[in-house]
Amino acid sequence: MDFDFSEEQEAIRALADEVFASKAGIDRVKEVEATEDRVDRDLWRELAVTGLLGIALPEDLGGGGLGVAELYVLLEQQGRHVAPVPIWPTAIAALAVSEFGTVDQRTALVPGVAEGSTFLTVGLEEFGPYVAGDPETTAASSPDGVWRLDGAKAAVPVAHLAHRAVVSATTGSGAALFLVDLSGDGVSVVRTQSTTHEICANIEFSGAAAELLGTADGSAVSWLLDRTELALAAIQLGVGSGAVSQAVAYLNERKQFGRPLATFQAVSHQLADCYIDLEAMRVTLWQAAVLLAAGADPGSSVLVAKWWATDGGQRVVHRTTHVHGGMGVDTDYPVHRHLLWGKQIAATLGGASSDLARLGALLASGIEVGA
């Protein structure tokens, strides 16, 4: 399998790197972190103007008409620069609406995402350990023909800004995706987290009106979960790569006993381990992404990529923080953001133990892991 970027993907990578480098420098990130929303609206508009925000959305809805692989190229660059904008929840939700929504749903929401005027989010996590299976949140069609949701979603990103949320729920015929107005009746949004990565909220539903996306047979939920897990893996790859770049620069400049820290064997071994983890993260991410982009069955490849991003990604951000010494935990020094992002991403949709448990269940069912 060829993991080299196409000319279009390389152009996207270069443009994204240029935009993030110019608009998401350390001083600007600090300014955004001090705001109430912690979202860089100027950067968000720039991503929309350059066409990056809608890169994977259909052309007839204002997007670039490319695919999910190109979105992952963008997300990797965002992770490198730890840029505070909610690309993945908005873009992945918009992709779900594009794939499963009605004409009215598509035209009402997707063009706004591409032009930067609409925020969307995704609600897949619930309270308790993350496990594979149908959601505990339920949906039922009421006598008036409206679907109603009951239950709760945990750690939903940018719920304080999102105009709509795509959430999973269990129906009488299986799991399904639903589009929910977060300002509607029966919806309670409680802001819970405020980090340098993103603001999250817990959402409770009590008879909340919702619109069905696709069919209620579990297929739409699996579709969304695969793309969400790879989006997180792409960001984590960028976060780890950015952290290593900072560590290399620091270790080449900082001297001890008259020579750069980078020349010490123990330090070199730490960075070599980081390189091995990053390459494993990269290969497994693009194996799964290429399969998804081609419309093939990804098998267990998405979960393998998710596990490497979770397990290897945390090792990378911890090692790079460690080799910085005391500077690594100084909040005025930029590398600490990579640590925070890496830890939060690794805990999203289950940690490494959860991923391994799901992989073990696949093995037990006879599915070849890595296929």
Side-chain angles (χ1 to χ4, degrees), residues 15 19-20 22-24 28 31-32 35 37 39-54 74 83-87 90 111-119 161:
L15 177 58
V19 171
F20 288 126
S22 63
K23 296 289 185 178
R28 176 58 181 167
E31 288 179 15
V32 175
T35 65
D37 290 340
V39 169
D40 191 333
R41 304 283 187 145
D42 291 341
L43 174 56
W44 188 254
R45 283 190 291 270
E46 185 70 13
L47 291 169
V49 168
T50 57
L52 290 170
L53 200 53
L74 171 63
V85 280
I87 300 174
T90 295
V113 169
E115 69 182 21
S117 62
T118 299
F119 292 99
L161 296 179

Side-chain angles (χ1 to χ4, degrees), residues 61 91-102 104-110 120 164 166 177 179 213 223-224:
L61 296 173
I92 294 295
L95 283 173
V97 175
S98 299
E99 181 75 14
F100 302 110
T102 64
D104 288 344
Q105 290 168 334
R106 286 160 52 91
T107 56
L109 294 174
V110 179
L120 301 177
R164 297 286 188 277
V166 175
L177 295 179
L179 193 59
L213 287 176
W223 184 97
L224 181 62

Side-chain angles (χ1 to χ4, degrees), residues 297-360:
D297 180 3
S300 62
S301 64
V302 171
L303 188 49
V304 171
K306 165 69 165 58
W307 176 75
W308 267 111
T310 298
D311 197 51
Q314 281 213 87
R315 284 196 297 270
V316 170
V317 295
H318 276 275
R319 287 193 192 107
T320 50
T321 300
H322 176 70
V323 297
H324 274 83
M327 293 297 292
V329 294
D330 184 348
T331 57
D332 285 330
Y333 196 77
V335 77
H336 89 278
R337 291 174 178 81
H338 294 265
L339 176 66
L340 291 178
W341 276 51
K343 289 178 70 66
Q344 184 170 343
I345 292 169
T348 303
L349 294 177
S353 296
S354 172
D355 296 338
L356 284 179
R358 288 191 285 156
L359 281 169

Side-chain angles (χ1 to χ4, degrees), residues 25 27 60 92 104 114 120 126 143 147 165 196 210 226 231 258 266 310 338:
D27 291 336
D60 62 339
I92 294 295
D104 288 344
L120 301 177
E126 297 183 335
W147 285 92
T196 56
D226 283 345
T310 298
H338 294 265

Side-chain angles (χ1 to χ4, degrees), residues 210-241:
E211 302 171 33
L212 180 66
L213 287 176
T215 57
D217 60 3
S219 59
V221 174
S222 296
W223 184 97
L224 181 62
L225 183 60
D226 283 345
R227 283 149 183 81
T228 299
E229 291 191 324
L230 285 189
L232 294 168
I235 302 172
Q236 189 78 309
L237 175 59
V239 168
S241 298

